[in-house]
């Protein structure tokens, strides 16, 4: 065995460039892959462990319309075994909160009448402030999602505007409230003392709403419970239910997108690594053909020769996977910590030193390298000593080479029109078809990744431009009436909306609805239902800029447009009709359009207020938001400022841009780091691969360079011509990479995001930015070649020729 | 005048000695592209234990080819090659590697040391392959290098020593596993007169210590060292000359004898 080790060690020691080159590629591939896997895994693990620890709800029933008796519903669930049920909690909605004089934009608050803690379901985890069974009078507990993003701490005071005035409460605790803490969420539960709730909330117009959380011992059994529950009710359950999938989805979305993209790229990179490995081993065997022959002639068996190669590359893989794994731990830790910050209680094991999944991934990488080394090194089996020593290659190849081939190449490079340096450069390119192919491949990939990465980040960062394609309105600003006692809609119309700068406006509200899901086969006895959230417009969807992927916006009292996931679940298309229960009343509506929306994973619908008014003529008073567009030439910001100064206490006014920023700045923060890391990795890989290919080639060609030098070419000329050749080749790669990045990779995003309600991710083509990505990999390639050719500089013709 | 008429092949069996290698109708065809070249034509040859056998012939006559075939380093096209009565051409890969490792040593025409190994490592490596203990092999390798007069260069890479020194290292490598026979292809070809003489003296001394040697050469001076001389021409054995043990004072006489033999006057 010693001889195998000796051989392996000599190869490791004497082929430093090739070996470090393989090592770096393996390291980066392991880094990407194990980062992706750890991010996915840790996100899930962290969420699940927090969900278990808090005894998180699987479903949350919101009884808001008085259709079912809350107590009766609550009691029925409490009687079931295998289900833990929270107290029946009273709440009201508020949509205004300010801290330190700053209005917090875009919030939907559940003002909760806190029951005695600790809660049996959705137990709060106290991050700041002392854990108590219930908040003291005059204080409130707020969720981490609101606290962290607005820098609110225990002891600060927060204000809530209501119809009756302003409530000021002191923050007594910041809590992780598992079901309402996800990133990108705009809703949160504010926990109030019972007296405070009674004092401030019950005075407000409207009725108390009720909420109860359900936690199943076995979540997969929930259908059976629901069947019995609806049997008991005698009707379908017509209020809203939030289920586990939607409660957890936003914890996962960013990391899932990132991880899937990363895994995809890592797999690509591993393929490149394997190809490179094959290339290098084949090259090592070819260039050592004679040596292998000698070694075999002293009696070393083929098996052992192969073993030496396999040992060499497995060793390299082992050595390089370790730093990859360590860095990936840091990287994935950072990514997870960033996106899961709201779950961080400071005590949980966020930064486990080694992620088990990461370790397994690395083991997998080593195994793959081992197997491919075995495959590629098999070439050495056929080395016949006498032939190897005589020809330095196999007899077959020898006889192949002595027959004339490759005339087209010679012809191509005889063109008198090309400058000499170009011909010299291209000569080495065509001579090394395999190496050149690898260069094209890697330039293509890295250009594609750079272009796609830029496209993705740029599109998220400038999401204002495509906001309607993410399911939001694209109005200039929104106005919410916080205090109807001081300002009615009629007054608003008179004072604000009639302003000559206002181009158009619509009023919006929302409503919960339940949709029966038609059973397949038509043999339905019992019906399944799904709860969806409806946007209700008194006005014009088109003006406010809502868009559809198919069909048009609803305009009349019997029309609806639905989100892609609703359409998918129901199996309907534009033009079909559907039954829907709104506030307990059944309507049959024609589907006019299908749209995609990231909010609520497209489990939503859009109707006009006329639909509800047919059964509830008073509905209009519940519509407290108005979206408006301004005439051209009017500055939205100054208009918003002006209104805020005049109506600050009764109206919530915000430009659409600032609302969008609020949600998506988080997203940008989360994705920028990993995408930049990936882009950087690919640039580094390009440099490393090209550097190494050039080094290998230049070693082989050193005799030729010696001859060039001895006939009077300068080193600079030789290096320039080599680099020119590489620039041409990688330029070809970059050209192929652009369409791949622009058209090939985006569908990947569509696949990942379609579960979240976005079937066609709206990307913004920014020509300048994309163009600026193209030269990056070509430059990296050129630099790689230039650096690799440094050895030509120092060597004298004698050294080059003798080598 | 040199007579190149083809002579019938002679098998002269010498009952005094044991047969080490024997070939029967050995043929080798090289094919390059669509061309085929018959480099060994129906060769019948015996090599005796303890002999210094020399194979002579002009360039391209097929000497190296024959040596590869005798040593089992190349596959044969037809016929038989027997080593101590065993068909080595029928060996499995495992038997063949064992054979190469333990029974023979080979010194190439083009020397062929492993460029990344030091001289010492080059010499010791076959010992490792044979599974011998590392320290014993290293010790022996060093003493062989000293014996060859290049002990001082043991730690250098082949590219850092002269051609003659490489040649001596290659011989040391062939000897490391105390093979039954060593094959030496043109050891003096690339060397100066004196360097060549040093190598030949080394080989002669080894042979006197009962080491069987098969050497290829086209140099008459080198051929003088032979106990037995086979002449190869156009891939066939053209004649065999029994000379008996060499002594330095016979050099001139032998030179003449061989020259005469080659010119065909003694046959
Ligand atoms: N692959 C091959 N294809 C065709 N012919 C070959 C091949 N290899 C060798 N030959 C021919 O076989 C013949 C014998 O070659 P060999 O190397 O045995 O000659 P040699 O006697 O050792 O010559 P030298 O003294 O120059 O070393 C030569 O004529 C050579 O041209
Ligand atoms: Mg020869």
């Amino acid at each position: 065995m010693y001889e195998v080790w000796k051989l392996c060690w000599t190869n490791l020691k004497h082929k430093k460039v090739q070996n470090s080159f393989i090592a770096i590629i393996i390291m980066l591939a392991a880094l990407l892959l194990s980062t992706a896997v750890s991010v996915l895994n840790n996100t899930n693990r962290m969420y699940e462990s927090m969900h278990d620890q808090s005894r998180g709800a699987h479903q949350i029933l919101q009884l808001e319309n008085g259709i079912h008796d809350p107590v009766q519903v609550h009691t029925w669930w409490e009687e079931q075994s295998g289900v833990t049920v929270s107290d029946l909690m009273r709440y009201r909605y508020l949509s205004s909160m300010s801290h330190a004089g700053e209005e917090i934009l875009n919030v939907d608050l559940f003002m909760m009448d806190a029951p005695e803690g600790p809660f049996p379901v959705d137990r709060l985890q106290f991050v700041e402030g002392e854990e108590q069974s219930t908040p003291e009078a005059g204080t409130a507990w707020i969720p981490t999602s609101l606290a962290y993003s607005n820098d609110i701490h225990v002891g600060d005071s927060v204000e809530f505007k209501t119809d009756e005035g302003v409530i000021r409460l002191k923050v007594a605790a910041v809590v992780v409230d598992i079901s309402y803490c996800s990133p990108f969420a705009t809703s949160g539960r504010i926990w109030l003392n019972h007296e405070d709730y009674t004092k401030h909330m019950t005075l407000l117009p409207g009725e108390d709403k009720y909420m109860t959380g359900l936690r199943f011992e076995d979540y997969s059994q929930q259908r059976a419970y629901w069947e019995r529950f609806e049997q008991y009710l005698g009707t379908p359950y017509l209020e809203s239910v939030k289920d586990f999938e939607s409660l957890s989805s936003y914890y996962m979305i960013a990391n899932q997108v990132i991880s899937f993209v990363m895994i995809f790229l890592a797999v690509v990179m591993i393929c490149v690594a394997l190809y490179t490995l094959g290339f290098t081993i084949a090259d090592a065997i070819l260039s050592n053909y004679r040596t292998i022959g000698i070694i075999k002639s002293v009696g070393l068996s083929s098996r052992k020769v192969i073993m030496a190669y396999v040992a060499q590359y497995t060793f390299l893989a082992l050595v390089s996977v370790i730093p990859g794994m360590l860095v990936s731990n840091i990287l994935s830790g950072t990514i997870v910590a960033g996106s899961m910050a709201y779950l961080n209680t400071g005590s949980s094991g966020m930064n486990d030193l080694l992620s088990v999944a990461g370790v397994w991934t690395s083991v997998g990488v080593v195994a793959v390298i081992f197997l491919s080394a075995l495959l590629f090194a098999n070439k050495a089996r056929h080395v016949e000593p006498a032939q190897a020593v005589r020809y330095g290659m196999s007899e077959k190849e020898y006889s192949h080479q002595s027959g004339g081939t490759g005339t087209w190449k010679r012809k191509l490079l005889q063109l008198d029109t090309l400058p000499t340096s170009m011909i010299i450069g291209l000569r080495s390119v065509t001579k090394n078809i395999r190496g050149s192919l690898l260069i094209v491949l890697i330039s293509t990939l890295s250009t594609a990744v750079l272009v796609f990465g830029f496209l993705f980040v740029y599109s998220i960062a400038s999401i204002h431009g495509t906001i309607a394609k993410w399911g939001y309105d694209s109005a200039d600003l929104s106005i919410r009436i916080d205090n109807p006692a001081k300002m009615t809609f009629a007054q608003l119309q008179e004072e604000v909306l009639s302003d000559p700068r206002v181009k158009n406006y619509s009023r919006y509200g929302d409503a919960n609805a339940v949709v029966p899901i038609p059973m397949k086969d038509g043999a339905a006895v019992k019906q399944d239902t799904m709860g969806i959230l409806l946007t209700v417009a008194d006005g014009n969807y088109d003006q406010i800029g809502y868009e559809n992927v198919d069909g048009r916006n609803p305009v009349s009292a019997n029309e609806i447009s639905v989100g892609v996931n609703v359409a998918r679940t129901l199996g309907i298309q534009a033009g079909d009709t559907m039954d829907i229960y709104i506030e307990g009343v059944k309507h049959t509506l024609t589907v006019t359009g299908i749209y995609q929306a990231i909010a609520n994973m497209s489990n939503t619908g859009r109707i006009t207020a006329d639909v509800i008014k047919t059964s509830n003529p008073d509905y209009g008073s519940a519509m407290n938001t108005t979206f408006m567009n301004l005439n051209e030439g009017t500055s939205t910001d100054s208009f918003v400022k002006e209104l805020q100064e005049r109506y600050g206490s009764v109206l919530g006014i915000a430009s659409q841009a600032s609302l969008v920023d609020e949600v998506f700045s988080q997203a940008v923060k989360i994705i920028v780091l990993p995408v930049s890391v990936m882009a950087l990795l690919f640039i580094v890989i390009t440099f490393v691969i090209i550097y190494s290919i050039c080094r290998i080639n230049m070693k082989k060609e050193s005799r030729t360079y010696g001859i060039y030098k001895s006939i009077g070419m300068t080193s600079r000329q030789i290096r320039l011509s080599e680099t020119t050749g590489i620039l041409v080749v990688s330029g070809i790669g970059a050209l192929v990479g652009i369409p791949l990045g622009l058209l090939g990779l985006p569908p990947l995003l569509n696949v990942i995001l379609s579960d979240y309600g976005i079937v066609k991710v709206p990307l913004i083509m920014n020509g300048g930015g994309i163009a600026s990505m193209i030269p990056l990999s070509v430059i990296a390639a050129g630099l790689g070649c230039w650096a690799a050719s440094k050895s030509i500089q120092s060597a004298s013709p004698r050294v080059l020729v003798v080598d | 005048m040199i007579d190149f008429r083809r002579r019938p092949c002679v098998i002269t069996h010498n009952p005094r000695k044991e047969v080490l290698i024997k070939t029967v109708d050995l043929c080798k065809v090289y094919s390059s592209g669509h061309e085929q070249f018959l480099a060994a034509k129906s060769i019948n040859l015996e090599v005796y234990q303890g002999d210094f056998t020399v194979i002579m012939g002009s360039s391209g006559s097929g000497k190296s080819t024959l040596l590869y075939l005798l040593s089992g380093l190349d596959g044969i096209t037809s016929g038989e090659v027997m080593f101590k009565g065993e068909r080595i051409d029928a060996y499995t890969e495992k038997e063949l590697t064992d054979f190469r490792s333990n029974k023979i040593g080979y010194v190439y025409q083009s020397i062929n040391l492993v460029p990344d190994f030091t001289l010492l490592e080059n010499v010791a490596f076959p010992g490792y392959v044979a599974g011998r203990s590392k320290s014993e092999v290293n010790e022996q390798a060093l003493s062989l290098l000293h014996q060859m007069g290049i002990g001082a260069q043991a730690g250098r890479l082949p590219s850092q020593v002269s051609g003659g020194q490489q040649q001596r290292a290659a011989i040391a490598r062939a000897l490391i596993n105390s093979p039954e026979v060593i094959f030496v292809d043109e050891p003096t070809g690339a060397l100066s007169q004196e360097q060549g003489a040093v190598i030949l003296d080394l080989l002669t001394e080894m042979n006197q210590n009962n080491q069987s040697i098969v050497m290829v050469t086209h140099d008459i001076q080198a051929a003088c060292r032979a106990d037995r001389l086979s002449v190869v021409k156009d891939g066939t054995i053209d004649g065999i000359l029994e000379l008996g043990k060499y002594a330095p004072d016979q050099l001139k006489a032998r030179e003449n004898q061989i020259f005469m033999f080659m010119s065909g006057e003694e046959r």
Side-chain angles (χ1 to χ4, degrees), chain A residues 496-604:
Chain A
V496 181
L497 302 178
S498 57
D499 190 298
R501 287 169 295 179
V502 175
K503 186 171 159 199
N504 53 43
Y505 64 88
S506 294
R507 264 176 107 188
Y508 285 86
D510 46 38
N512 284 308
V514 174
V515 183
I517 302 171
M519 298 296 251
K520 298 192 184 86
D521 316 320
V525 186
K526 281 169 251 137
Q527 278 196 325
D528 225 335
T529 60
M530 75 185 288
I532 66 174
L533 185 71
L534 293 178
T535 301
V536 185
D538 191 0
N540 189 319
Y541 276 108
D542 293 338
Q543 277 178 2
I544 291 313
Y546 281 102
E547 288 189 13
N548 297 288
V549 286
D550 186 26
R552 58 169 177 84
N553 285 317
V555 291
S556 69
N558 60 357
E559 290 181 338
I560 185 171
S561 62
V562 294
V564 287
N565 275 343
V566 175
R568 194 185 301 160
T569 316
L570 299 181
I572 53 174
Q573 292 172 328
D576 295 351
T577 58
M578 62 182 278
D579 290 342
I580 183 166
Y581 293 83
I582 306 167
E583 295 186 333
V585 180
K586 181 176 168 178
H587 300 263
T588 301
L589 304 175
T590 305
V591 178
T592 56
I594 292 170
Y595 60 87
Q596 57 177 12
I598 188 90
N600 291 301
M601 305 158 83
S602 282
N603 285 314
T604 54

Side-chain angles (χ1 to χ4, degrees), chain A residues 390-391 395 398, chain B residues 30-32 37 39 58-66 109 185-186 218:
Chain A
R390 201 187 270 270
Y391 318 119
E395 192 166 293
Y398 174 78
Chain B
Y30 288 121
S31 39
S32 68
F37 185 85
S58 52
S59 183
S61 55
K63 305 183 294 292
S64 298
T65 303
L66 182 57
Q109 185 166 9
D185 194 349
E186 210 82 73
H218 60 247

